[in-house]
Amino acid sequence: MDVLTHFRSIEELTKTLSREQNLLGEMFEKRKLMKFPLGVAIDLVGGNEARLRKLVDYGVLVETGNTVEIESDYLNFFEEVLNVNEEISVLSVQECINTLKEYIGYYLQETNTNRKAGYQDSVRQLLKKTGFRTLRNVVDLKRNMDNAYKQEPNYIIKKKKLQNLDEKSHSIRSMIRECEKLMDNEHAFFLMANDPHMAKTCSDVKHDFVEAYHALMEIDRQIIVYINQIDQHNLLYKKIRKLKYLQDQLLIKTDTNLVQMLEDKNPLWMESRQYSKIRLSLNMIRDNEQIVKMLRRIAERNGIQKIARTEAEPLTDDDLQEHIQRLKEVDPMEVWNAFSASSYNLFDFILRYDYKTKRNIEDHTALFCQLVILHPDECRMTGKYATYQNIEYPIIYAK
């Protein structure tokens, strides 16, 4: 690629990336799945091969045979900005520390005021960059540790990845100590650079280092736990494979004590847990105030709302007296038996019957219809009608 071919302004760079966002987005999503075919890339830029060629010439893409891929600098930039970087770059922190030493030396030897101020600003920016990259590396380390344990199917590779991450954790810790030592030893620089912005930057970086230290301690502990779990799983897997082999060879009963172990132990891990409800007696609750307080604490802890209840008024002497209330209901069978023994027609009999309670004409009419429906075969219809209080009714006798 021609070294003179490059973006000459931020505007040109952002416009080019924005115009080709479909291609770059598709390639970034599939960066681990496959080499991107050149024909597919041309289709994603609207079939304009010149646009794709510009990306290759300007170093955004790298062409390899019939495939293209995102150039490493742009790929690392996208991964860091989107926080999906899987590589932990301890060297970048070390490079910042080395550059810090250089600029501090330049500052102490420089006599020009403006250039001294420039070196001072460079040191302050590098300090902020060192703290930021250290925290970023710790976050990446934590994410990669969890991914290695949960996603890697091969136990040997999983354990090796965790061991490598443990080494990187120690390297990050060493870099932090080296940077702290640099900040403590360069008294002359920080005394001469009496700047409130520099003091605040140093305070923020030290706070970042403390936070990183605490996170690294937890990461180290978790890596040890993960490695121990992998060793236990490996041991269990080997035992299961050996038992499977003995079972296939019909030697499991003779070469192992598995049957005896199963007979001696009877763990109920497949059984559901049994819960027994214990109901306290009312006398115990009524007489023991300590139990009542304990039940109230349990109810509050479980969010059970207490239902407010007030005591009822005591019963009076009048309430204890016997009260008789007569109902208007009558026994239809009793009325029909009495009607069967009489010579009256049904409606006249209902009007004359002694009900012991006061009834109106609607009650009589309802009883008349009810008796006719209940005893249709025992009623003798005369075909004649009569009227009582504007109510016309058939004259019916008992058979």
Side-chain angles (χ1 to χ4, degrees), residues 141-186:
L141 184 67
K142 175 67 169 63
R143 184 177 63 252
N144 291 344
M145 175 192 67
D146 292 336
N147 291 338
Y149 181 76
K150 298 176 182 178
Q151 304 295 335
E152 178 57 49
N154 189 301
Y155 282 101
I156 298 176
I157 298 178
K158 180 186 295 188
K159 185 175 180 180
K160 188 63 177 177
K161 283 185 177 181
L162 291 174
Q163 291 173 345
N164 293 335
L165 291 173
D166 187 47
E167 294 177 1
K168 291 184 178 181
S169 173
H170 292 296
S171 299
I172 295 174
R173 192 179 286 107
S174 300
M175 296 298 175
I176 293 175
R177 285 196 293 266
E178 186 175 349
C179 189
E180 289 177 336
K181 187 184 298 183
L182 174 66
M183 295 171 65
D184 294 336
N185 293 339
E186 296 293 342

Side-chain angles (χ1 to χ4, degrees), residues 21-214:
Q21 59 180 332
N22 292 334
L23 172 62
L24 295 176
E26 190 75 16
M27 293 182 65
F28 185 76
E29 290 180 357
K30 298 179 179 179
R31 64 191 184 279
K32 295 181 179 297
L33 300 179
M34 65 177 187
K35 294 290 185 179
F36 211 81
L38 186 62
V40 178
I42 294 175
D43 292 338
L44 288 175
V45 294
N48 191 337
E49 189 173 355
R51 288 167 52 184
L52 182 65
R53 183 56 52 190
K54 180 179 180 180
L55 293 176
V56 175
D57 293 341
Y58 278 64
V60 180
L61 302 181
V62 177
E63 183 179 0
T64 306
N66 293 325
T67 62
V68 289
E69 58 185 352
I70 302 177
E71 203 273 332
S72 59
D73 290 340
Y74 288 94
L75 183 62
N76 293 334
F77 170 73
F78 294 153
E79 289 180 342
E80 288 185 4
V81 171
L82 297 175
N83 197 21
V84 293
N85 184 25
E86 294 184 355
E87 297 298 329
I88 301 170
S89 179
V90 182
L91 293 177
S92 61
V93 180
Q94 182 63 53
E95 291 173 358
C96 289
I97 295 175
N98 295 336
T99 309
L100 271 173
K101 294 178 181 179
E102 294 178 8
Y103 281 123
I104 290 175
Y106 298 153
Y107 176 87
L108 296 175
Q109 297 173 5
E110 183 58 60
T111 57
N112 184 279
T113 305
N114 292 331
R115 287 196 290 269
K116 284 177 74 73
Y119 289 132
Q120 179 178 336
D121 290 339
S122 299
V123 170
R124 183 169 53 83
Q125 293 175 4
L126 282 171
L127 280 175
K128 292 175 63 178
K129 186 177 181 180
T130 303
F132 174 78
R133 287 194 173 182
T134 301
L135 286 179
R136 173 62 65 85
N137 282 339
V138 172
V139 173
D140 293 340
L141 184 67
K142 175 67 169 63
R143 184 177 63 252
N144 291 344
M145 175 192 67
D146 292 336
N147 291 338
Y149 181 76
K150 298 176 182 178
Q151 304 295 335
E152 178 57 49
N154 189 301
Y155 282 101
I156 298 176
I157 298 178
K158 180 186 295 188
K159 185 175 180 180
K160 188 63 177 177
K161 283 185 177 181
L162 291 174
Q163 291 173 345
N164 293 335
L165 291 173
D166 187 47
E167 294 177 1
K168 291 184 178 181
S169 173
H170 292 296
S171 299
I172 295 174
R173 192 179 286 107
S174 300
M175 296 298 175
I176 293 175
R177 285 196 293 266
E178 186 175 349
C179 189
E180 289 177 336
K181 187 184 298 183
L182 174 66
M183 295 171 65
D184 294 336
N185 293 339
E186 296 293 342
H187 296 291
F189 167 76
F190 290 104
L191 286 175
M192 295 175 64
N194 188 13
D195 182 8
H197 297 293
M198 180 68 73
K200 183 178 184 306
T201 300
C202 293
S203 176
D204 293 340
V205 172
K206 289 181 179 179
H207 180 270
D208 292 342
F209 286 162
V210 172
E211 185 177 350
Y213 255 125
H214 292 165

